[in-house]
C-alpha cells in the first residue's frame, strides 16, 4: 500500500526521495508527493498518477532544493487519487508537513473539532487532521506536540514529520504499520520498507509501536510516550541491492518466478540436517508437538491458498484436524480456539492487517502462534511466538510467486514434522519424502526452462473472456492460486472450482472455446478428473491439462498438456503452480498489462 521515505543529510533530499519512491512503487499507489525544507521554508510537490509525473513536475527533484525531506506514494482510501489528497499534508502556514501510511479511525470527529477552531481542510483524507492537530498542540517543542497528538488519534499508522522551525530533525512514529530508520554516514533515513533505502544502507532500526524517533544527520534518538530515552540496536539487513532490481528481466514477476528454484532450496536446506527435518525456530519438543489438539491456519490471498494445500497434507500425513481461514473471516467469526491449539499465520510481507489482528486475537486466547513470514523483523514476525522465515528475499512484483513457493515448502516441512512427532511418518517413507522434497528445486527449474509451450498456449488466449481452473483435493487448492494469478495481473475473469462441483451450477457458463486449466496430479483422483475434463469438453471447452507422467487418457482428452516431473503427490503442486504462473504471466504480457503493478492492488495490505 502507501509508501514512506524520509531523508536528512548532506545530499539533495528530493533526489534520494524520488529514488526511494521509485523503489516503493511496487507496493501500489495512485499519487505521490514530497516536502523538502530549503533553508527557509517547506516546499511541496504533489502529483496524481505515476511517479514520472512527480519527477517531471520537479525536474527530477531540481525544483526542491534542501537536505531534509519526506516523500510518499499514496494508495487512495479516504478520497480519490488527486493532487489535493496526495501526501504530504501541511498545516495552515506550511510550517509542518506530514506523510502517513495507515488509517486514522477517529478522523471525522477530530476534523469537525479542528474546523470549529478555524482550521481549513483542502483534502478529503484522514491524514490532513495530523498537521492541523500538530499545529494546534505545537508551542516550540515538536516531541511534545507529537505526543499530545498521539494521545488523540486512534488507528494504525506510520508517520514521517518535518517542522520548519526544527530543520535539523526528521520525526517518525508508528503504530501497527511498518517503519524503519536507516542509519547512514552523515545521513539518515526513514522508510516504510527496507527496499526503499537498500542502496544507501543496510543498517536499520525497527521502530516499535508508539516510539518516537528523532533523526538528525549524525544521530538518532528514540523516546517513549513518557519521553524516556530508549536504547535501540541497529540490525544489518542481508538482502543485497541486486535482489531488489530486475537483473535483466523484463518484469520483476518473471525474475521472481525464475528465482523459485533458489528460494525453495534456501527455505529447505537449513531445515534438513543429516536426513532429518529440524525446525529450530519452532521451540516445541516432539511431545509438545504431539499434544497439539488442532492446527488453525490463517492468512490472506495467496498465502491463504498455501494454507488450503497444507490442510490436505497435514490431514493426510499427520492425521490431525486442521482448519484454514481467511484472516478477515477468522477475526470476526468467533472461532472455537483452545489454548492447546497451534495457530499458524502465513504472510509474505508480515504486515497484512487482517492477519496481524487474527494473530493477536489467537494470542489473547493463549494459543501458541507460529508465523511463516518472509520479511525479517516485520510486525507479524515480532508478535508471533515462533517464526519460520521463508528465505525468498525481497518480492517486488505485486503478484506473489516465489514467496508462495517458499511458503509451500515451509508448510511441507511443518506437516512432516508433526507427522513424525505423532508417529505417522518414519523410516523409509520419511526418507523417500525428504529425497523427493530435495529434488523439487531442480524440477521447478526444468519446468521454468521449458516455458515456450506455455507461452505459445498463452498467446492464443490473450483475448479470453473467462478462464476456469479445476482440480480435486490438493489440485483444487492450487487451482485457487492459478486463478488468482491470472485474474489479478491480466484482468480476465477467472474462477477456480473443485472439479466435482462444476455440475452444481458453474458448468452452465461453458461456451464454445472457454479455456479450462485442469490440474490432475493426484493418482487416486485422475479418473474423476478425466470425467470432469470430458464433461466440459463435451460442452465446447478447450482444456489445458497439468498432469503427471502416465496420464495418457487425460492427455488424449485434453487439447494441451503440461506433464510434470515425477514426485510425491503431496508435493506435486509445487510443480503444478509453475505452468499456471507462467500462463498468467504470458497472457498478461500479451494483453499489455502492467504485470508488476496491477491496477487497484497493493503489495502489502496494511488496512483492514
Ligand atoms: C496475490 C498476493 C496476495 C497476498 C495477500 C497476503 O498474488 O500476493 O493475495 O498473498 O495480500 O499478503 P501477505 O502474504 O503479505 O500477508
Amino acid at each position: 500500500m502507501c509508501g514512506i521515505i524520509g531523508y536528512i543529510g548532506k545530499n539533495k533530499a528530493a533526489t534520494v526521495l524520488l529514488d526511494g519512491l521509485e523503489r516503493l512503487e511496487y507496493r501500489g499507489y495512485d499519487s505521490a508527493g514530497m516536502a523538502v525544507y530549503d533553508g527557509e521554508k517547506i516546499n511541496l510537490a504533489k502529483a496524481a498518477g505515476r511517479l514520472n509525473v512527480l519527477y517531471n513536475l520537479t525536474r527530477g527533484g531540481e525544483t526542491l532544493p534542501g537536505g531534509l525531506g519526506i516523500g510518499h506514494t499514496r494508495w487512495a482510501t479516504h478520497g480519490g487519487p488527486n493532487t489535493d489528497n496526495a501526501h504530504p499534508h501541511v498545516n495552515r502556514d506550511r510550517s509542518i508537513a506530514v506523510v502517513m501510511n495507515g488509517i486514522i479511525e477517529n478522523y471525522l470527529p477530530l476534523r469537525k473539532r479542528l474546523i470549529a477552531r478555524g482550521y481549513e481542510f483542502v483534502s478529503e483524507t484522514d491524514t490532513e487532521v495530523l498537521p492541523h492537530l500538530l499545529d494546534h498542540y505545537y508551542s516550540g517543542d515538536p516531541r511534545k506536540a507529537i505526543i499530545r497528538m498521539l494521545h488523540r488519534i486512534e488507528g494504525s499508522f506510520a508517520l514521517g514529520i518535518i517542522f520548519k522551525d526544527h530543520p535539523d530533525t526528521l520525526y517518525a512514529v508508528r503504530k501497527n504499520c511498518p517503519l524503519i530508520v536507516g542509519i547512514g554516514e552523515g545521513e539518515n533515513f526513514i522508510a516504510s520498507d527496507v527496499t526503499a533505502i537498500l542502496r544507501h544502507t543496510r543498517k536499520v532500526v525497527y521502530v516499535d509501536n508508539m516510539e518516537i524517533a528523532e533523526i538528525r544527520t549524525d544521530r538518532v534518538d528514540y523516546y517513549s510516550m513518557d519521553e524516556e530515552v530508549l536504547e535501540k540496536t541497529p540490525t544489518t539487513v542481508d538482502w543485497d541491492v541486486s535482489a531488489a532490481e530486475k537483473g535483466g528481466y523484463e518484469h520483476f514477476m518473471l525474475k521472481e518466478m525464475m528465482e523459485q528454484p533458489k528460494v525453495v532450496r534456501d527455505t529447505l536446506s537449513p531445515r534438513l540436517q543429516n536426513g532429518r527435518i529440524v525446525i529450530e525456530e519452532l521451540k516445541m519438543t516432539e511431545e509438545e508437538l504431539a499434544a497439539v489438539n488442532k492446527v488453525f491456519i490463517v492468512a490472506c490471498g495467496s498465502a491463504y491458498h498455501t494454507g488450503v494445500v497444507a490442510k490436505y497434507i497435514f490431514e493426510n500425513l499427520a492425521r490431525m484436524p486442521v482448519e484454514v481461514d481467511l484472516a478477515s473471516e477468522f477475526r470476526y467469526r468467533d472461532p472455537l480456539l483452545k489454548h492447546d491449539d497451534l495457530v499458524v499465520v502465513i504472510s509474505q510481507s508480515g504486515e497484512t492487517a487482517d492477519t496481524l489482528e487474527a494473530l493477536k486475537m489467537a494470542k489473547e486466547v493463549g494459543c501458541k502462534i507460529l508465523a511463516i513470514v518472509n520479511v525479517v523483523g516485520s510486525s507479524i514476525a515480532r508478535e508471533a511466538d515462533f517464526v519460520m522465515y521463508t528465505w525468498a528475499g525481497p518480492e517486488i512484483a505485486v503478484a506473489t510467486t516465489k514467496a508462495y513457493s517458499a511458503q509451500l515448502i515451509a508448510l511441507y516441512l511443518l506437516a512432516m514434522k508433526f507427522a513424525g512427532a505423532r508417529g505417522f511418518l518414519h523410516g523409509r517413507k520419511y526418507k523417500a519424502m525428504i529425497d523427493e522434497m530435495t529434488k523439487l528445486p531442480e524440477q521447478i527449474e526444468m519446468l521454468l526452462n521449458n516455458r515456450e509451450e506455455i507461452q505459445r498456449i498463452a498467446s492464443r488466449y490473450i483475448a479470453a473472456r473467462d478462464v476456469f481452473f479445476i482440480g480435486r483435493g490438493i489440485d483444487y487448492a492450487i487451482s485457487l492460486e492459478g486463478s488468482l494469478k491470472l485474474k489479478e495481473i491480466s484482468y480476465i475473469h477467472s474462477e477456480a472450482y473443485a472439479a466435482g462441483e462444476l455440475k452444481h451450477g458453474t458448468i452452465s457458463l461453458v461456451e464454445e472455446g472457454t479455456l479450462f486449466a485442469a490440474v490432475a496430479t493426484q493418482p487416486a483422483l485422475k479418473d474423476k478428473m478425466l470425467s470432469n475434463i470430458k464433461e466440459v469438453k463435451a460442452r465446447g471447452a478447450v482444456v489445458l491439462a497439468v498432469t503427471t507422467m502416465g496420464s495418457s487418457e487425460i492427455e488424449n482428452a485434453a487439447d494441451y498438456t503440461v506433464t510434470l516431473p515425477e514426485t510425491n503427490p503431496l508435493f506435486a503442486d509445487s510443480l503444478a503452480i509453475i505452468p499456471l504462473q507462467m500462463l498468467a504471466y504470458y497472457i498478461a504480457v500479451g494483453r499489455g498489462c502492467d504485470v508488476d503493478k496491477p491496477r487497484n492492488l497493493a503489495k502489502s495490505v496494511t488496512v483492514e
Side-chain angles (χ1 to χ4, degrees):
M1 302 207 113
C2 311
I4 290 179
I5 166 118
Y7 177 80
I8 185 161
K10 52 190 182 297
N11 290 315
K12 286 184 74 174
T15 317
V16 179
L17 299 182
L18 280 171
D19 176 74
L21 291 177
E22 196 183 327
R23 276 152 220 288
L24 291 171
E25 273 193 295
Y26 76 97
R27 297 173 65 94
Y29 72 103
D30 32 42
S31 60
M34 299 187 281
V36 179
Y37 175 74
D38 70 1
E40 269 177 40
K41 58 188 184 313
I42 293 175
N43 293 308
L44 269 187
K46 308 205 264 187
R50 288 293 186 207
L51 205 55
N52 61 348
V53 185
L54 183 67
Y55 189 92
N56 293 337
L57 181 75
T58 60
R59 294 204 304 275
E62 284 300 317
T63 60
L64 293 181
L68 166 68
I70 45 180
H72 191 262
T73 44
R74 172 174 184 260
W75 190 80
T77 52
H78 295 76
N82 56 39
T83 313
D84 283 342
N85 290 336
H87 299 206
H89 290 283
V90 290
N91 62 333
R92 48 190 156 190
D93 63 359
R94 210 187 264 194
S95 57
I96 303 168
V98 181
V99 286
M100 178 183 87
N101 283 1
I103 182 168
I104 303 299
E105 281 160 2
N106 60 337
Y107 84 101
L108 277 176
L110 289 174
R111 189 175 161 119
K112 259 194 207 147
R113 255 172 259 148
L114 285 161
I115 289 172
R117 287 202 169 99
Y119 286 94
E120 279 174 26
F121 282 74
V122 295
S123 80
E124 301 151 87
T125 65
D126 49 346
T127 307
E128 202 185 349
V129 296
L130 303 179
H132 295 315
L133 265 183
L134 286 169
D135 180 290
H136 177 62
Y137 291 130
Y138 181 67
S139 50
D141 183 341
R143 193 189 315 147
K144 288 207 167 16
I146 291 171
I147 291 172
R148 290 190 71 185
M149 174 192 73
L150 290 172
H151 281 301
R152 295 298 305 280
I153 59 177
E154 289 160 22
S156 315
F157 45 80
L159 308 178
I161 310 167
I162 57 177
F163 288 79
K164 187 188 80 158
D165 296 349
H166 296 265
D168 61 341
T169 312
L170 165 62
Y171 296 86
V173 65
R174 73 179 274 268
K175 184 183 160 204
N176 294 338
C177 277
L179 190 79
I180 52 158
V181 173
I183 311 292
E185 297 282 323
E187 56 182 3
N188 290 312
F189 309 81
I190 58 166
S192 50
D193 184 329
V194 71
T195 48
I197 55 166
L198 258 189
R199 63 154 43 183
H200 303 285
T201 180
R202 299 221 211 123
K203 221 162 123 190
V204 304
V205 174
Y206 294 101
V207 181
D208 274 318
N209 277 345
M210 305 303 256
E211 291 178 352
I212 299 144
E214 295 187 359
I215 301 118
R216 299 185 176 82
T217 48
D218 54 351
R219 55 181 288 177
V220 186
D221 299 300
Y222 304 89
Y223 297 91
S224 70
M225 290 284 282
D226 301 325
E227 294 197 66
E228 275 165 27
V229 177
L230 303 168
E231 289 303 323
K232 309 276 296 176
T233 322
T235 349
T236 305
V237 178
D238 57 8
W239 290 354
D240 64 15
V241 183
S242 67
E245 286 174 356
K246 277 193 214 156
Y249 286 99
E250 198 184 337
H251 296 105
F252 277 110
M253 185 174 172
L254 180 59
K255 176 185 175 241
E256 289 161 7
M257 285 191 288
M258 298 305 285
E259 283 171 0
Q260 290 178 110
K262 175 179 182 316
V263 159
V264 165
R265 206 173 282 124
D266 289 351
T267 302
L268 192 57
S269 28
R271 285 145 185 152
L272 289 183
Q273 293 171 17
N274 304 321
R276 298 206 68 74
I277 295 171
V278 181
I279 308 178
E280 271 164 8
E281 311 93 311
L282 182 61
K283 299 196 178 354
M284 289 171 84
T285 62
E286 299 273 306
E287 292 69 36
E288 284 169 332
L289 287 178
V292 168
N293 170 53
K294 190 173 187 179
V295 174
F296 284 83
I297 302 181
V298 185
C300 300
S302 296
Y304 164 78
H305 296 159
T306 65
V308 182
V309 176
K311 174 181 168 71
Y312 288 103
I313 301 183
F314 263 86
E315 292 186 349
N316 178 300
L317 279 184
R319 311 303 301 158
M320 62 191 301
V322 175
E323 283 194 36
V324 197
D325 269 85
L326 292 163
S328 52
E329 290 294 312
F330 182 82
R331 285 178 68 180
Y332 299 110
R333 80 169 168 90
D334 198 8
L336 296 173
L337 286 168
K338 297 212 192 96
H339 65 90
D340 52 357
D341 294 333
L342 177 72
V343 176
V344 179
V345 294
I346 311 167
S347 175
Q348 186 285 126
S349 61
E351 301 294 347
T352 302
D354 280 319
T355 312
L356 181 61
E357 289 308 315
L359 179 165
K360 288 182 187 163
M361 188 183 99
K363 216 168 153 181
E364 263 168 38
V365 178
C367 299
K368 285 270 177 269
I369 315 284
L370 166 66
I372 297 180
V373 174
N374 194 40
V375 178
V376 176
S378 53
S379 304
I380 291 177
R382 284 187 279 168
E383 288 281 340
D385 297 296
F386 318 112
V387 185
M388 245 179 118
Y389 282 113
T390 47
W391 299 115
E395 193 177 59
I396 308 292
V398 166
T400 182
T401 52
K402 62 174 181 172
Y404 172 88
S405 282
Q407 285 162 359
L408 278 184
I409 297 296
L411 288 161
Y412 296 165
L413 289 166
L414 199 62
M416 288 174 67
K417 188 80 196 156
F418 268 94
R422 293 166 65 88
F424 292 110
L425 185 63
H426 40 73
R428 284 227 296 275
K429 184 175 172 193
Y430 181 74
K431 184 178 174 318
M433 286 191 80
I434 289 188
D435 287 347
E436 276 156 333
M437 205 161 34
T438 41
K439 283 191 210 142
L440 288 174
E442 227 174 280
Q443 296 174 324
I444 292 173
E445 188 150 22
M446 211 169 87
L447 286 164
L448 288 166
N449 291 340
N450 292 331
R451 55 187 186 277
E452 286 78 16
E453 178 58 7
I454 280 287
Q455 208 170 343
R456 245 192 316 274
I457 301 169
S459 68
R460 290 184 197 133
Y461 291 93
I462 56 176
R465 197 188 59 189
D466 309 291
V467 178
F468 293 87
F469 291 75
I470 55 170
R472 286 170 177 260
I474 293 184
D475 292 340
Y476 165 55
I478 220 75
S479 299
L480 292 169
E481 178 60 9
S483 169
L484 179 63
K485 281 289 87 78
L486 181 72
K487 72 184 113 189
E488 67 182 332
I489 63 169
S490 75
Y491 317 141
I492 292 177
H493 165 250
S494 162
E495 286 185 41
Y497 257 82
E501 183 65 15
L502 273 181
K503 44 179 134 12
H504 297 285
T506 309
I507 203 161
S508 68
L509 295 174
V510 182
E511 289 174 1
E512 202 57 41
T514 307
L515 181 62
F516 270 73
V519 188
T521 68
Q522 304 299 300
L525 297 167
K526 273 192 187 163
D527 287 348
K528 303 278 173 213
M529 278 305 293
L530 180 63
S531 308
N532 298 131
I533 289 172
K534 286 183 173 165
E535 276 161 18
V536 293
K537 283 287 303 167
R539 287 155 181 89
V542 176
V543 174
L544 160 65
V546 177
T547 186
T548 49
M549 277 187 260
S551 314
S552 53
E553 283 188 279
I554 288 185
E555 242 173 85
N556 291 339
D559 298 87
Y560 312 100
T561 304
V562 174
T563 307
L564 305 173
E566 214 171 313
T567 186
N568 185 303
L570 294 179
F571 303 149
D573 284 334
S574 273
L575 305 179
I577 192 59
I578 305 297
L580 301 187
Q581 291 172 344
M582 289 284 175
L583 182 74
Y585 174 75
Y586 285 115
I587 289 183
V589 170
R591 289 164 69 87
C593 298
D594 190 351
V595 174
D596 285 337
K597 298 187 280 287
R599 69 184 178 208
N600 305 338
L601 293 182
K603 182 67 183 165
S604 158
V605 185
T606 48
V607 294
E608 204 181 319

